[in-house]
Each structure stands twice: as structure tokens, then as C-alpha cells.
Amino acid sequence: MSTQSPAGIDEPGESGAVPRPATAVDHPSRSDWFVRGTSGLIGGPLGDHATALDRPAGREGRFWTAARIVLALVCLTLALHWVQKSPCQDGAWQNNVQYTRMCYTDVLALYYAEGLNEGKVPYADHPVEYPVLTGYLMGAIGLPVHAVGVDNPGMNQGQWFYNLTALVLGALAVATVAVILSLRRRRPWDAALFALSPALVLTATVNWDLLAVGLAAFGLLAWARTRPDRYGMLLPGLAGVLIGLGGAAKMWPLFLLGPILVLCARAGRLLAGLVATASALVALVAVNLPVAIPYRENWERFFDLNTTRPIDWGTLWYIGRYLDGRISPSAPGELGPFEWLNANISTLNWVSYLLFGAACLGVAALALLAPRRPRLAQLAFLVVAAFLIFSKVWSQQFVLWLLPLAVLARPRWGAFLAWQFAEVCYFAAFYGELLGTATSRPVFPEGVFVLASSLRLITVAVLCGFVIRDILRPERDAVRQTYADDPDGGLLDGAPDAPWHQRWRSGAVDRPVEPVPV
């Protein structure tokens, strides 16, 4: 493990990374082969005597520091997203404009579908298909809009609801970038991956997913600030509460708790992981109880939909169902394996859960067997990616779940942009599929959509492969070429492995090989 000298220089350790000053700012045009190559189009990598952007973190002398540029870029990206959605904002969706202009958003559609335009209180007066914190946000914005609209008949309530929601979700996106910048003070340009993401341009307000993204990001930040000698278990508890609130908005932030527990076990800091997990569960229950007890049937709507939902578009199972009749056509009346799963949803659910569970066990084994304790963001990315790969539902906006984790886990531009290209292709193909379904006239052959879905799946799997390689070969990890250990690890950052793990590892390495009896 790397150590830090009194002069503030990272000494070379297990990773073999080149030592650099502890306050040095990483510049992708020097450290990332993809950016270094493309930088030739604008004059080449940043020079040694460049402006304030090349000065040590915290000593920039000009207003336009790297962090402020990145924050300005995410604001520009969100403005472009708002323009992209503008054809749909009035709610007058005629001639399938929501598909031809690719501007559909659940935010506007569900203002009417969930009864908010009639003043219905989520869960109390109408079942909501989302976890409760998302429903709370819908009501907190939608009900005041309806109340004002009752006295102003000329007011377009749906448009006001969308724009106010877009402001809240946009603020959460900016806050997420600020969190990434705070976690990567020596690598501020990593946050530009999120800020300039084409997927953010296309999906930021398709649904309320940025609420969970922002809460999960703040949870990771609280965990990163934990220290063995500071505030006791207060910050692990706060991290757990934020992650639990994120799980009350969308389920996936709860998956962060698994990597936290495994890494804490390896470092002998299991108490902190248990405190975070318990706090998350308490927050989750506390937010759900006010709805689950008095309005149980409406509260269960989210779980009922997820239990009974068949294979959705763009998933691994959808691709398999398409291939059923092309690789090994079934006899008339017979179903291929994926078609059979679609007809037997309870079995499909269990197969999906088992595959995800097996993937989680694999990630846990990787965390324990890796030559050096993996970083939290690496394991979190692998777990959430595994959930999406094996899930029967992979909506277009779910890309937002992976965005901050991908930036923190592997801030390399080449593979990231390849994945984003695949997401853009899927986005376009998805709307073509929607338009074809709405008009009963296919826009393109079904194989085009399946190809786009496969490309998205493959690029996410490739990213997982790169993250696994960085875990097994930590000298290839871009973040550990800048930081001594794990800047997101909090009390795990720089901590030695627990004695039990050291004994187990040494036993596994030194144990003599027993001869195989003939």
C-alpha cells in the first residue's frame, strides 16, 4: 500500500504508480490515452506552464477553475436537455410528437395519469407505481401546482409541473457533479464525464431517477468523510440514512450497502458497515410506514407491478426472446426458452434474482480475493451493473444510475464514450420502436432495435470487465495513480486488511499443494 511522505509525496507501493505530489491535479490530456490522442485536434496536451487550471488543487488564481468549468458544463447540458424536451412541455401530444421528437417524459404524462391534475394525494387517493419518496416529491410539487391552477384556468398545469420538477431534478444533477468534484479534488476533470454525458442530455427528466442519484451521491460523500477518530459512528449513520432515503426513491441505492459491508469486513471495520446498513433500513422503514400502514393496497402497487411485469424492451431477456425463433425455431405451438419464461413470470423473476444474487456473490469473492482491497466505487458499479444486466426491466433512464458510479469507478474516456454512444443508439432505436407500435407501421426491422439493445448490454459488460481488470491489477487503476488508496473509502482509506484476512490470504498463498492420489 502506498504511503505519504512528510513532504506530501505519494511513495510508490503495491500499485507501482508513478509518485506525484499529493496536491497535483490530474489532466486527462496527459494521463488518458484517448484524450491525449484527440487533444491533438486542438493543440495537444496541456503544457507545463498553463493557466490556473494546472496549479495545485486549492491554489487556482483565476475565476474559471476546473471545478467551476465542470459545474458550468453540467448546467449547459441540462439546458440542452430542457430544449430537447421542449416540444412535449405543453402536453398537446398530437401526431405522436412525443415519439417523433423523442421528447416523451413520464413527469408530464403521470401528472395526469396519477391524478395530480385533480388534486389527488399520492397513495392516499391514488396508487402510485413508484417507491414512496418519489411519490412524495410528485405530490409536493403537483398538489401546489393544481391548487394554483384551480384559480387560474388559463394556466397549463402540466407544463408548470414539468418545469418545476425539471428545476428540482436539475439541481440534484448539479449537486451530484459537486459531490464528484468533492470526492475527486485531484481529478476534477473526471466529473466532466458526468457533466457532458449524452445520456444526461437525453434522459435527465424522463423520470424522477435523479432524486435517487443525488441522495446516493450524498450518501457516498458522507461515507467518504468517515474517519476512525472523527465523530464516532455519526457519519456512517448519516451515510446510511442518505442511502436509505435513496432506496425509498428508487431501490438501487440500497445495493451500495453490500460493497460497504464486504469492504468493512476485509478491513476489520465491520461495525461501521453495520451502522450504515442499520441506519439505511431505519430510514427506509420510517419513510414507508406513513403510507404502508394506512394505505397498504396503494403502497403495494409498486411491488405488484414489479412482480407481475413481463419481459420488458431492451433487456437480456428481450434479446433472448427475439433469438428464440431464429437460432432454434420451435415447432408450432411450442415456446422457446425465453418465450416460456415470459409466459411464466414467477419463474422469470426467480431466475433473474438468482443470477443477480450469483453476480453479487462473485463481486464479494472478488473483493476478498483481490490482491489489494478494491475501491468502494468499483464494487458499487459492478453490483448495480449486474442488476441492470440481469433485470427483466431496463428503462431508458436507468443509465443515470450507472453514470456517477462509472465516473468514480473508472474515469477513462475511451470506454465511457463507447458506452455513451451505445446508449444514444438505444435511445433512438427505442423511440423508433415506440413510434412503430403507436402507428402499427414499423419504423425499421425489429433486428435494429435488438442490435441497439445488444450494443448497450455489451458496452456495460465491457466496462465491468475493465473495472474487474483494474481490481485484479491495481497498477492499472487511474484513480490509484493519483490517490494513495481509496478517496471514497472513508475510514477504509489507507486502512490495512484485518488480521483474519491477512492470515487467510497468507494461508491460501503458502499452503503446500497436496499430491493427487493416483
Side-chain angles (χ1 to χ4, degrees), residues 276-401:
T277 301
S279 301
L281 295 178
V282 168
L284 184 67
V285 171
V287 171
N288 276 270
L289 279 182
V291 170
I293 293 177
Y295 315 111
R296 181 168 181 176
E297 186 175 344
N298 289 348
W299 173 76
E300 288 178 341
R301 174 67 171 163
F302 166 74
F303 302 98
D304 292 340
L305 282 176
N306 281 278
T307 302
T308 60
R309 197 167 182 173
I311 292 174
D312 203 10
W313 288 359
T315 61
L316 170 69
W317 313 100
Y318 184 92
I319 297 168
R321 198 177 68 172
Y322 172 82
L323 296 176
D324 264 350
R326 287 158 180 81
I327 295 179
S328 55
S330 304
E334 294 184 0
L335 298 177
F338 289 92
E339 282 287 3
W340 184 88
L341 284 172
N342 194 50
N344 295 269
I345 297 175
S346 61
T347 304
L348 169 65
N349 292 338
W350 279 109
V351 172
S352 175
Y353 300 153
L354 288 173
L355 287 173
F356 175 56
C360 289
L361 290 176
V363 172
L366 178 66
L368 296 175
L369 294 171
R372 185 175 178 183
R373 191 172 57 247
R375 293 187 292 107
L376 173 58
Q378 292 174 317
L379 297 187
F381 174 83
L382 292 176
V383 170
V384 177
F387 176 78
L388 292 177
I389 289 172
F390 295 119
S391 175
K392 64 178 182 178
V393 179
W394 193 344
S395 299
Q396 54 173 320
Q397 75 276 5
F398 289 1
V399 61
L400 298 173
W401 302 3

Side-chain angles (χ1 to χ4, degrees), residues 414-488:
F416 181 89
L417 291 178
W419 167 46
Q420 291 297 290
F421 173 76
E423 290 286 354
V424 172
C425 291
Y426 178 80
F427 183 85
F430 177 73
Y431 275 94
E433 195 79 354
L434 285 172
L435 181 60
T437 301
T439 60
S440 300
R441 294 193 305 271
V443 176
F444 40 65
E446 178 73 4
V448 173
F449 178 66
V450 172
L451 178 63
S453 303
S454 302
L455 186 62
R456 178 179 66 164
L457 179 69
I458 291 169
T459 51
V460 171
V462 168
L463 275 177
C464 291
F466 280 131
V467 171
I468 292 171
R469 185 196 65 178
D470 290 348
I471 291 174
L472 296 176
R473 299 179 61 185
E475 70 276 4
R476 302 290 297 268
D477 184 358
V479 174
R480 280 187 164 141
Q481 292 173 12
T482 307
Y483 290 90
D485 190 24
D486 182 4
D488 312 322

Side-chain angles (χ1 to χ4, degrees), residues 104 106-107 110 114 123 127-136 138 206-209 248-250 288 298-299 301-303 305-306 309 397-398:
Y104 172 84
D106 286 333
V107 173
L110 294 184
E114 299 291 353
Y123 306 105
V128 180
E129 60 184 278
Y130 299 117
V132 293
L133 201 61
T134 298
Y136 290 166
M138 294 166 63
V206 168
N207 202 281
W208 288 266
D209 293 73
K250 297 280 183 174
N288 276 270
N298 289 348
W299 173 76
R301 174 67 171 163
F302 166 74
F303 302 98
L305 282 176
N306 281 278
R309 197 167 182 173
Q397 75 276 5
F398 289 1

Side-chain angles (χ1 to χ4, degrees), residues 17 48 61 84 97 140 142 157 169 180 184 212 238 285 317 370 413 475:
D48 290 336
Q84 196 271 325
V97 66
Q157 294 183 31
L169 297 178
I180 296 173
R184 295 290 183 273
L238 176 60
V285 171
W317 313 100
W413 286 78
E475 70 276 4

Side-chain angles (χ1 to χ4, degrees), residues 219 221-228 230-244 257 260 264 269-280 489-491:
L221 179 62
W223 179 264
R225 295 294 179 261
T226 62
R227 292 294 183 271
R230 190 190 304 168
Y231 306 119
M233 292 293 111
L234 178 62
L235 286 177
L238 176 60
V241 168
L242 291 166
I243 290 172
L257 298 171
I260 287 175
C264 285
R269 304 285 175 83
L270 190 56
L271 177 60
L274 292 174
V275 168
T277 301
S279 301
L491 51 76

Side-chain angles (χ1 to χ4, degrees), residues 193-211:
L193 289 163
F194 186 100
L196 295 173
S197 166
L200 185 64
V201 175
L202 298 174
T203 65
T205 63
V206 168
N207 202 281
W208 288 266
D209 293 73
L210 281 173
L211 173 60

